[in-house]
Amino acid sequence: MRLLVSLTALALVLPAPARAYEASITRDDWGIAHVKGHSDADAVFGMVYAQAEDDFNRIEMNYLTNLGRLAEAEGEGAVWSDLRQRLFIDPADLQRQYAASPLWLKTLMQAWAAGLNQYLADHPEVHPKVLTRFEPWMALSFSEGSIGGDIENVPLSQLEAFYTGKQIALTLNEQPGAYREPAGSNGFAIGPSHSKSGHPLLLINPHTSFFFRSEMQVQSDMGLNAYGAATWGQFFIYQGFNEQAGWMHTSSSVDNVDEFAETVVKQGDGSLAYRYGKEVRPVKQTPITLAVRKADGSTGQRTFTTYSTHHGPIVREADGKWIAFALMNTPVASLQQSFLRTKVHSIAEFRKVAALRANSSNNTVFADNKGEFALFLPQFMPIRPARFNYTKPVDGSDPASDWKGQTPMSAFPQVVNPRNGWVMNVNDGPWWAAGKDSPKRTAYPRYFDSQGPQPRTEHAVRVLGAQPLFTLDSLISAAYDPWLPSFQTLIPRLAKANAASPDPKRTEAIALLQRWDCKWSLSSVETTLAVNYGEALWAIAEKDPGLKLFPGVPQWMASAATDQQQLAALDTAMARLTADYGTWQVPWGEINRYQRNDGAIQQTFDDAKPSMPVMFASANWGSLAAFGARRYPGTRRYYGTYGNSFVAAVEFGPKVRARAVTAGGESGNPASPHFGDQVGRYATGNLRPVYFYPEDLKGHVEGVKVVKGR
């Protein structure tokens, strides 16, 4: 018996034998990887191996960012990003959570690390910046696939100000009214009554920074068969479909992160405490040491004493109060939900997975082959007392302001199989999701929608309501409808302002805009003029003191801009175009371009190098197909970096049928034929057939390899 006890104890100490993994990677003629493994773990192993083949750099950079280790590669400029991450992500805590994870999830994390490590072993020519070996627990640092998690709500400038004691202004990008491409996506689901074939349809149209995700298919003999977009380095399809159902995530407008203003006092012994009701509680102090790359390539360290209360870490100071930031932080449950979602086949199964309540930032547009279609909001929603305004820091010393548990999912606004025959979300609230069959905003707390309608809201409702019966082709056409609804409001106001103060220099331009149908096209001079006008007026809005009275710049532009401001913006736009091109009459395709010169994450654009004209425009003006482009130092042209990335349209019949396109190409290697082989299709919205079944792949296979490892 003693020997048995000793052997048992030894088994608990010794690591488990390394598992053997094997997966096949079939590349189609677009370079898309179709990965197959016997088990889910084998499939995960092959999945991340294939991603690393396409762009290991982006995988490593994602994990350096999410582990709070970016400064080890990029130096001082990344210190505050790392510190923000480490306030919420503690490597030692992640290791403890990994050890306590469900066995099936732990097995997948082990396969994930094995796949990346095997890739590095097989490719000694690849030199990681920092991460020469991946550990399974690291997968928990990046457990859901959206482009920016809740942590990014913490402004880095104010974090730096607090932990250095300096006065630092918000950067331009941190200011609420700053001109930037809207973060988010479009999701449309068409029910059987609105579909010509009687089969549900789904549009998957994420708006992200370009090349943010890998398009792939991953299969196992354990029921996994998912196709779509996987964020680099993650082992689940984030936006995509399986044989029976599809899911499209859009950045949500719910407000489920909060700031608490803490009253901090110094105790007689010099320690710090904060008031909470009648109590005085100690402020928790935690040292965080960051490794930082020096200019000479060596590594130094910076150590910060950080502070937190029961509400969360302290991230800034305002009006003499320390501000604690509260958000969802459940990496194990988040990773479970992200993977399990790829295997759901019905709304009932989706709801079972959603019961983990570990999605805080994404709406989900859903469709399945049973004829079901729906919009679901993030399942993490704290209950807050109505008497507090949580859009601003609330009094953390008042226990009544604390979260009161979680809102039951039955109390959420949901749109399931509405009578109108379609649902949509374009990063707005659910109040427009199904036209007249949408939930009523007045029936729910205001934190279920913090932004109101988007410029794309009216556009989406119009295109979905205009078509009695959709096909896959007409759904794609709707996704690329060229209307820019913002200018339908702005141009009449501009013309009225000009009529009150006419100037012959503007006559031709005003007349041209008045005749315009507010639709983009490559040959459209009006689109170029309108976009430049809109950007110039936006710049005026950012400096207008009256902007704070409006929900955002679009509302100010549509109702508050004075005649003088509107005319000044048009003059600025015409002068800028004339200075750049010798005339203000420039076709949109001449100025609006796609360019990718190398595999760098941050591109350097050059007018002298080849580029491709792109017909669609910024979502700021209501374009459903989004292309966030601007001038760069030394360029006259606009170059896009954000917007439409992976796009897919799916029909759920007896067999799934789909078409898709990825921005540029699947590979991040400029020497690969798949670095830019989809540019023409991307720029024109010409989606290619998806090879989902083995018979679809026949005649389209570029190569097959088997990868093995431990």
Side-chain angles (χ1 to χ4, degrees), residues 199-200 202 241-246 367-369 650-654 656:
H199 303 146
L202 179 67
F241 56 95
N242 56 44
E243 217 169 351
Q244 299 184 50
D368 66 32
N369 64 355
V650 191
E651 182 174 14
F652 294 98
V656 70

Side-chain angles (χ1 to χ4, degrees), residues 260-605:
F260 292 86
E262 310 287 22
T263 302
V264 177
V265 295
K266 184 173 284 190
Q267 303 282 68
D269 61 0
S271 64
L272 297 174
Y274 65 103
R275 300 192 184 280
Y276 184 67
K278 296 180 180 180
E279 302 176 50
V280 178
R281 296 184 171 185
V283 172
K284 183 179 179 180
Q285 300 187 39
T286 306
I288 293 178
T289 298
L290 304 176
V292 184
R293 180 182 173 86
K294 296 181 179 179
D296 63 4
S298 63
T299 300
Q301 290 185 335
R302 289 192 65 176
T303 298
F304 299 88
T305 298
T306 64
Y307 307 96
S308 62
T309 70
H310 74 284
H311 292 121
I314 305 298
V315 299
R316 65 186 182 94
E317 185 174 2
D319 301 322
K321 305 280 188 178
W322 286 16
I323 307 300
F325 198 85
L327 49 69
M328 184 195 83
N329 191 2
T330 56
V332 173
S334 293
L335 193 54
Q336 289 183 79
Q337 187 166 340
S338 294
F339 182 81
L340 291 173
R341 192 166 47 218
T342 68
K343 286 189 167 187
V344 302
H345 294 156
S346 65
I347 282 180
E349 291 182 9
F350 180 89
R351 282 178 162 147
K352 285 181 181 178
V353 173
L356 286 163
R357 311 194 58 166
N359 165 26
S360 66
S361 61
N362 300 304
N363 301 323
T364 305
V365 178
F366 181 90
D368 66 32
N369 64 355
K370 299 161 193 63
E372 302 170 306
F373 59 108
L375 169 69
F376 298 103
L377 268 61
Q379 296 83 47
F380 177 85
M381 179 58 69
I383 298 173
R384 294 105 149 190
R387 68 184 177 91
F388 293 97
N389 179 9
Y390 288 87
T391 63
K392 298 178 180 179
V394 295
D395 183 5
S397 69
D398 185 348
S401 70
D402 276 8
W403 290 349
K404 309 303 179 186
Q406 288 295 308
T407 304
M409 289 173 60
S410 60
F412 278 58
Q414 297 181 19
V415 188
V416 180
N417 302 325
R419 289 174 298 176
N420 67 304
W422 53 263
V423 298
M424 70 85 186
N425 188 259
V426 292
N427 314 116
D428 45 8
W431 332 121
W432 303 276
K436 60 181 174 52
D437 295 313
S438 305
K440 303 304 178 187
R441 190 173 192 172
T442 54
Y444 296 92
R446 59 186 173 185
Y447 46 72
F448 277 112
D449 176 26
S450 63
Q451 297 178 14
Q454 297 292 307
R456 287 166 287 142
T457 301
E458 179 186 3
H459 196 174
V461 170
R462 185 169 95 161
V463 298
L464 291 172
Q467 186 89 348
L469 294 173
F470 276 94
T471 64
L472 204 58
D473 287 341
S474 62
L475 179 61
I476 294 169
S477 295
Y480 287 88
D481 184 84
W483 187 39
L484 297 174
S486 295
F487 294 116
Q488 198 138 320
T489 300
L490 295 177
I491 288 172
R493 296 191 75 241
L494 174 63
K496 184 178 179 181
N498 184 69
S501 302
D503 185 327
K505 291 184 292 186
R506 302 189 198 105
T507 301
E508 186 178 1
I510 293 289
L512 188 69
L513 290 173
Q514 284 184 293
R515 293 192 300 269
W516 182 40
D517 59 5
C518 296
K519 294 181 178 179
W520 45 248
S521 71
L522 291 179
S523 62
S524 173
V525 171
E526 300 93 332
T527 304
T528 301
L529 181 59
V531 168
N532 276 264
Y533 163 69
E535 291 175 356
L537 188 59
W538 196 297
I540 292 171
E542 291 175 353
K543 300 175 183 177
D544 191 285
L547 178 62
K548 61 186 176 182
L549 302 176
F550 292 84
V553 172
Q555 294 83 358
W556 180 93
M557 293 170 66
S559 58
T562 66
D563 288 1
Q564 183 181 11
Q565 288 170 323
Q566 294 175 77
L567 296 174
L570 181 61
D571 291 344
T572 297
M574 294 173 67
R576 178 61 188 263
L577 288 167
T578 301
D580 283 347
Y581 293 94
T583 175
W584 56 265
Q585 300 187 39
V586 184
W588 182 234
E590 172 63 27
I591 192 172
N592 197 52
R593 315 287 287 194
Y594 170 97
Q595 185 180 84
R596 191 182 191 189
N597 296 315
D598 53 44
I601 292 176
Q602 298 294 330
Q603 292 287 294
T604 299
F605 298 106

